[in-house]
Amino acid sequence: PNIIALNKVIICFIQDAEKIVNIGAGTGNFEWHASEDKTKTFIASEFDLECVEWCKKNRERENIIYTSKTINELLNEYGKFDLSVAIDVIEHISDYKGFL
């Protein structure tokens, strides 16, 4: 319940952003709840391939793309994003400067 509440609060900060990337998307909770706004596109990147496949099967929506691409691959494919989020991933980062 806490992670659902956290994700719903973060959704409030999207505002006018139309193309949003989530680094470390996990089970797609953020995108799932935020994607009710069909004017926005979500790219959810998660390195755990089982999570990506689960999301594709259970949380499919027209305006969500689930992938396991790196940040550089995402930028090459999709260009700039209006907003990037990384929810509950700080403990997985070893190179903070590089990540930012």
Side-chain angles (χ1 to χ4, degrees):
N2 291 340
I3 196 69
I4 292 170
L6 173 65
N7 281 274
K8 286 184 176 183
V9 168
I10 294 169
I11 290 167
C12 296
F13 294 100
I14 293 175
Q15 298 180 2
D16 296 334
E18 293 179 7
K19 187 165 58 167
I20 299 120
V21 63
N22 184 4
I23 306 298
T27 58
N29 189 8
F30 171 75
E31 297 76 27
W32 181 251
H33 292 288
S35 64
E36 291 178 12
D37 181 345
K38 301 298 183 202
T39 67
K40 301 180 184 316
T41 301
F42 296 88
I43 291 77
S45 182
E46 171 58 51
F47 291 155
D48 184 330
L49 298 179
E50 289 181 23
C51 278
V52 173
E53 291 306 313
W54 185 89
C55 288
K56 287 179 179 180
K57 290 177 186 174
N58 297 285
R59 290 198 162 153
E60 181 181 12
R61 284 215 172 124
E62 192 173 292
N63 58 335
I64 305 174
I65 299 166
Y66 296 106
T67 183
S68 60
K69 294 183 178 178
T70 66
I71 294 170
N72 287 332
E73 291 171 325
L74 293 169
L75 290 171
N76 286 334
E77 185 167 341
Y78 301 103
K80 292 183 179 181
F81 295 96
D82 299 317
L83 177 68
S84 63
V85 296
I87 304 166
D88 200 30
V89 297
I90 193 91
E91 69 275 17
H92 302 288
I93 306 302
S94 59
D95 175 12
Y96 297 120
K97 184 177 177 183
F99 180 77
L100 293 174

